[in-house]
Amino acid sequence: MNPVQFYKCLADETRLRCLMLIEHEDELCVCELTEALDESQPKVSRHLAQLRQCELLLDRKQGQWVYYRINPSLPDWAKSVLQQTNEANKAFLKVNLDSLFRMGDRPNRVASCC
Amino acid sequence: MNPVQFYKCLADETRLRCLMLIEHEDELCVCELTEALDESQPKVSRHLAQLRQCELLLDRKQGQWVYYRINPSLPDWAKSVLQQTNEANKAFLKVNLDSLFRMGDRPNRVASCC
DNA sequence: ATAATATATATGATTTTTCGTATATACAAG
DNA sequence: CTTGTATATACGAAAAATCATATATATTAT
């Protein structure tokens, strides 16, 4: 993982908030992120695709939903950066977490093993 | 320190290498960074100015040289991110450190207190 | 005073990134 | 099959970032 490419991924508000929300919630689908961020679906989807191409995120398709999670194969330093950023910037994420928890009709998780 | 602004500062190759070199050496002047990076002086200077404006770096003028150092007032999480990035990416910096150590006529440091 | 060195900044061009909108694909429900 | 929902992508426009070059300022040396 080239550190410049890694930080370019974090250097956009939409992408950083997506990463932090996913880090916080372990796994989120596109519609949840779209609601939490109050952004258009194509915009969120485009940024998620970029994070997937750079291998910061993995996705898992389940029915009509696509769930994104942090790539566990990221180097330790990168994972650590994401964790620390999250822990030290809770106020930054609050508005998005509030929207997420207020959201109705969130899809039911089914474990990927079933 | 807004995390998006912070990561935008790290999301450029010239700026990230400058930050990592300075982190490694505690303090470097513009001509040393210019030599270590093998980039034009205005380019290095411009990026350093940006890092100073964003308060990631502080500068100290001494004679004809301007020395840059990491701003010690950065939040702990940001300082930690810089340190971890450095420790986990030594190979990334090697070529620049080699150039720096090979450089002739490096300015003599004088402690800022004198 | 003149010349040389170190650094900063201005300017306009170029490149990169981001965006809105439209559209395509896949799945689910009826 | 049709409709609705979730997601992805294509395309051109707009915005932002970066750059090379020229030039300005400050300091040191002669």
Side-chain angles (χ1 to χ4, degrees), chain A residues 79-96:
Chain A
K79 281 190 274 192
S80 171
V81 164
L82 293 175
Q83 283 164 14
Q84 286 183 266
T85 304
N86 234 351
E87 278 166 28
N89 292 280
K90 294 197 186 296
F92 177 76
L93 254 204
K94 181 171 189 312
V95 55
N96 307 115

Side-chain angles (χ1 to χ4, degrees), chain B:
Chain B
M1 171 63 55
N2 173 319
V4 178
Q5 190 194 22
F6 176 72
Y7 288 122
K8 279 187 197 222
C9 287
L10 310 204
D12 171 89
E13 179 134 11
T14 302
R15 286 195 300 272
L16 187 60
R17 288 188 192 273
C18 282
L19 284 168
M20 289 174 73
L21 282 166
I22 292 167
E23 165 91 18
H24 190 274
E25 298 292 302
D26 289 337
E27 216 179 41
L28 287 171
C29 70
V30 183
C31 62
E32 290 170 320
L33 289 164
T34 299
E35 176 84 15
L37 295 175
D38 190 28
E39 296 276 7
S40 74
Q41 178 271 320
K43 178 170 173 179
V44 173
S45 194
R46 193 162 10 92
H47 284 295
L48 290 172
Q50 186 178 339
L51 293 172
R52 177 168 25 86
Q53 277 153 24
C54 292
E55 301 186 286
L56 269 70
L57 294 181
L58 296 183
D59 64 338
R60 155 174 94 89
K61 187 163 190 175
Q62 182 183 295
Q64 42 188 337
W65 296 284
V66 177
Y67 291 96
Y68 284 88
R69 63 187 187 280
I70 305 289
N71 183 349
S73 310
L74 274 184
D76 287 340
W77 69 270
K79 280 189 275 192
S80 171
V81 163
L82 293 175
Q83 282 163 15
Q84 287 183 264
T85 303
N86 235 349
E87 278 166 28
N89 293 279
K90 294 196 186 295
F92 177 75
L93 253 205
K94 179 169 190 315
V95 55
N96 306 116
L97 282 174
D98 286 351
S99 296
L100 180 61
F101 296 148
R102 239 185 291 110
M103 175 180 180
D105 286 329
R106 290 178 62 184
N108 285 323
R109 286 321 114 90
V110 179
S112 53
C113 54
C114 308

